[in-house]
Amino acid sequence: MTALWQQPWFWPVLAVVVGLPVLLIVLTEVASTLQRRGNPGARVVRLIRTYVVPTAAVSVLVAQVTLAVDSRDFTWTKVATTAFGFLVIVALLNAVNLTLFTNAEKGSWRDRLPSIFVDIGRIVLIAIGLAVLFSTVWGTDVAGLFTALGVTSIVLGLALQGAIGSVVSGLLLLFEQPFRLGDWLDAGGVRGRVVQVNWRAVHIDTGNGIQITPNASLAGSSFTNLSRGDGSYTVTAPVAFTTDDPPAEVVALLQRVAAALPELWPGTTPVAVPLGGAAYEVSYEVRGPAQEGSSLATLRSWLWYAARRAGLGLDGDTTDAFVTPGRIEQAVAAVAPTLQVTADDVPALVPSVRLERYAAGEVVLPLGVVPEALRFVLSGAVALGVPQPGGVLLPVSRVEQGDFVGQTVLTREPTSTRAVAVSEVAVLVVPGDTLDALVRARPRLARELGEVIDRRRVAAREVVETSGGGTGSRGRLAG
């Protein structure tokens, strides 16, 4: 009688009984370690542990059982072997995909390769792998099948060459990737942001809907990627004034307003030019085409207020129903207690003051300039802050109705904060000469203004020092 260990099935079965648990434990630990490290390879290891290894063990056991009963029917053995072979193919494809594409360096050809090419390649490799598997395990003749598929492909290609040509053109465009999601395109009169790209078409958000542009159309024509450049995007806005407005004043106004836009690209300077007659054009750089709309909206809003403050006729309109003698007199009467003037002094003060309005976000008074007037807030609110590198504004205080900004006009010192309109703001402007005359007749007014100057300077310094920038800003705020 043959010894147990000399049986042909003994060692394969022993290898399965002993090796399977050990291998499963090892693969489980490896998968857990990779998962804790955030490595995508954990998915491949789990696939091998859950499916490939157990299927291999089943294949070995089924084969040994078939041999033990001396059966000529190897169907179950072939089925188990086929399942194992298919899972091996899937695991290998996942490993290749992980190695080549999942961990691809940004900007490399592997990263730029469209996913549809990866999917097509995966299908082709699975088909080839299954053909080899069936030919090896089942002895199937797959040559005829490939021949039939080849002939069918040629017939379909000739019949659908127009449609297939468009698809291929689109796929080649995807492979080149002249644009990505979020880029702004200008293609054949269609201008907008790319929101979706697939194998057939590009979806462009034009602001008035989604424009579906076939990839073949883009591949067969020229287009402009507005997001690819030196990082900035030029916005050009035509504006009109009146022929009576001095061109030099209009150009200076346009450049000054555009230079204060929050979307302006750092280090750039707006340019405004007269085009003849009442037409002008202002150009400036923003951070990208996505900010064109918001910057133009802000520019047009601010120009309306700035033109009326400067007495210029934007769009040919020189009227301003807000500035009337009656409203000016009411504004002077409202601030008379602060200026320590009586009701009898109000009419004499009206001709020397003026009313101004500012849009939300406009700078009412810049940092580091000597104010030319004291501005009383009649409506709205003004935020005082200290600008920091990167465009950050450290808030200091808030000036509301009845309060004022520009108090250092009295001492001819630069401002220690920037005053920005929180909402639409109406102010009464008291020029420096008028304020000097009031102060000479009212020494207590000078002391009160001096106290406000000191209080706001200290508040600005404390805010800067608290934020960690006190050393570099101390000298500037001391003014």
Side-chain angles (χ1 to χ4, degrees):
M1 182 176 181
T2 306
L4 182 63
W5 60 85
Q6 293 179 346
Q7 296 291 335
W9 51 265
F10 177 79
W11 294 108
V13 171
L14 182 64
V16 171
V17 172
V18 177
L20 179 61
V22 174
L23 191 56
L24 290 178
I25 293 174
V26 171
L27 291 176
T28 301
E29 292 299 322
V30 172
S32 301
T33 302
L34 294 177
Q35 186 172 5
R36 286 195 300 270
R37 297 177 178 178
N39 193 316
R43 185 180 61 182
V44 178
V45 176
R46 284 197 298 269
L47 174 64
I48 296 174
R49 177 202 175 279
T50 307
Y51 299 103
V52 177
V53 172
T55 306
V58 171
S59 300
V60 172
L61 293 178
V62 170
Q64 300 308 313
V65 169
T66 305
L67 291 174
V69 299
D70 193 21
S71 175
R72 295 181 179 273
D73 185 10
F74 292 94
T75 301
W76 289 109
T77 303
K78 292 179 180 180
V79 170
T81 305
T82 302
F84 170 69
F86 176 75
L87 291 173
V88 169
I89 293 173
V90 173
L92 289 176
L93 288 178
N94 277 273
V96 171
N97 181 69
L98 173 66
T99 304
L100 292 181
F101 303 108
T102 304
N103 296 326
E105 296 182 1
K106 189 173 181 60
S108 63
W109 69 269
R110 295 178 296 169
D111 177 62
R112 294 186 292 106
L113 187 68
S115 59
I116 186 171
F117 286 108
V118 179
D119 295 337
I120 293 175
R122 184 182 293 114
I123 293 174
V124 171
L125 291 177
I126 289 177
I128 295 175
L130 288 177
V132 173
L133 182 63
F134 275 91
S135 177
T136 304
V137 177
W138 297 88
T140 305
D141 182 13
V142 296
L145 177 61
F146 279 109
T147 302
L149 290 176
V151 173
T152 305
S153 299
I154 294 175
V155 173
L156 291 176
L158 292 175
L160 303 174
Q161 56 182 339
I164 294 176
S166 299
V167 173
V168 172
S169 298
L171 292 177
L172 293 177
L173 180 69
L174 289 178
F175 180 75
E176 183 184 357
Q177 285 195 344
F179 53 82
R180 293 176 178 271
L181 289 178
D183 285 356
W184 285 71
L185 299 184
D186 187 351
V190 177
R191 186 175 185 178
R193 182 172 59 90
V194 178
V195 295
Q196 182 179 345
V197 179
N198 55 44
W199 64 272
R200 190 189 69 84
V202 176
H203 296 211
I204 301 176
D205 185 359
T206 63
N208 295 319
I210 303 298
Q211 176 76 28
I212 311 299
T213 304
N215 290 331
S217 299
L218 291 177
S221 62
S222 60
F223 58 89
T224 303
N225 189 336
L226 302 175
S227 299
R228 301 283 179 90
D230 58 357
S232 63
Y233 175 74
T234 302
V235 178
T236 301
V239 291
F241 285 80
T242 67
T243 54
D244 295 331
D245 294 325
E249 293 185 16
V250 174
V251 168
L253 175 71
L254 291 173
Q255 292 178 340
R256 182 171 64 253
V257 173
L261 292 173
E263 297 90 352
L264 187 69
W265 184 260
T268 60
T269 303
V271 177
V273 293
L275 301 179
Y280 294 82
E281 186 177 81
V282 58
S283 300
Y284 55 91
E285 304 288 328
V286 296
R287 293 176 174 83
Q291 296 186 340
E292 179 181 15
S294 61
S295 67
L296 284 175
T298 303
L299 177 71
R300 295 189 181 103
S301 175
W302 288 6
L303 275 179
W304 190 92
Y305 290 90
R308 278 154 177 75
R309 292 196 302 269
L312 301 176
L314 179 64
D315 295 326
D317 184 8
T318 58
T319 62
D320 190 355
F322 176 74
V323 180
T324 61
R327 186 173 278 114
I328 294 177
E329 186 171 351
Q330 292 177 0
V332 174
V335 302
T338 304
L339 292 176
Q340 300 177 14
V341 297
T342 63
D344 297 334
D345 299 326
V346 170
L349 194 58
V350 167
S352 61
V353 299
R354 66 181 186 273
L355 291 178
E356 290 181 348
R357 282 185 294 176
Y358 293 84
E362 268 197 284
V363 177
V364 179
L365 199 58
L367 170 71
V369 300
V370 178
E372 86 290 353
L374 186 68
R375 288 174 167 80
F376 286 88
V377 178
L378 302 176
S379 63
V382 175
L384 301 181
V386 179
Q388 297 293 293
V392 179
L393 189 68
L394 297 178
V396 175
S397 61
R398 187 182 177 100
V399 178
E400 298 183 343
Q401 184 177 355
D403 206 346
F404 51 82
V405 295
Q407 63 279 353
T408 55
V409 63
L410 182 64
T411 58
R412 303 299 190 268
E413 293 177 300
T415 55
S416 58
T417 58
R418 175 189 291 174
V420 181
V422 177
S423 58
E424 184 185 64
V425 174
V427 299
L428 176 68
V429 182
V430 180
D433 295 340
T434 302
L435 184 63
D436 289 342
L438 293 173
V439 167
R440 281 194 296 270
R442 299 164 180 81
R444 188 161 64 89
L445 176 60
R447 290 196 301 271
E448 292 179 355
L449 291 177
E451 292 175 358
V452 174
I453 293 173
D454 293 337
R455 185 167 60 250
R456 290 182 177 174
R457 182 184 297 137
V458 170
R461 181 181 293 115
E462 290 177 350
V463 167
V464 174
E465 291 177 348
T466 302
S467 67
T471 302
S473 306
R474 185 184 302 275
R476 182 182 63 189
L477 296 179

